[in-house]
Amino acid sequence: MPTVGVMDLKDGDFLLDVREDDEWQAGHAEGALHLPMSEFVARYGELTEAAPQDGRVHVICRSGGRSAQVTMYLVQQGIDAVNVDGGMQVWQAAGRPVITDEGKPGQVV
């Protein structure tokens, strides 16, 4: 399983958040693309339109389980994808910003 640590992510890296709507609304990483795992296959085209052509897709969820499943699916599709180890819980614990859609401070639920 290709994996990357939260602290290895740089500004501008493409981040795909596969948490559900209520989790996203509570707080997310700025600039992330939100495609809930429950809708992922149906909305797959949104990812292929938004992701950089030759870039890496960093997949994140709350703790790393759902994002691991999506990462494996993407790798099988020939996409350069990696799972973000520890997910948004580690993201927040590392002091990385978590915001709401309004740009206010958010939280990981």
Side-chain angles (χ1 to χ4, degrees), residues 6 12 14-16 18 22 24 31 36-37 43-44 47 51 54 58 68 72 81 85 93 97 103:
V6 164
F14 186 83
L15 190 64
L16 171 64
V18 297
D22 60 325
W24 170 266
M37 185 173 164
R43 295 177 59 189
Y44 180 73
L47 171 65
D54 294 320
H58 301 83
M72 289 308 296
D85 192 35

Side-chain angles (χ1 to χ4, degrees), residues 8 27 39 49 66 77 101:
D8 296 323
E39 302 170 15
E49 287 179 22
R66 289 171 286 178
Q77 306 308 308
D101 283 339

Side-chain angles (χ1 to χ4, degrees), residues 35-97:
L35 292 177
M37 185 173 164
S38 62
E39 302 170 15
F40 186 76
V41 174
R43 295 177 59 189
Y44 180 73
E46 293 177 44
L47 171 65
T48 57
E49 287 179 22
Q53 287 297 82
D54 294 320
R56 175 170 279 178
V57 175
H58 301 83
V59 188
I60 197 165
C61 66
R62 182 173 182 262
S63 61
R66 289 171 286 178
S67 55
Q69 293 177 49
V70 171
T71 298
M72 289 308 296
Y73 175 81
L74 292 173
V75 167
Q76 290 170 354
Q77 306 308 308
I79 293 176
D80 181 10
V82 293
N83 186 35
V84 179
D85 192 35
M88 288 298 296
Q89 289 178 318
V90 171
W91 179 278
Q92 185 173 27
R96 308 256 343 221

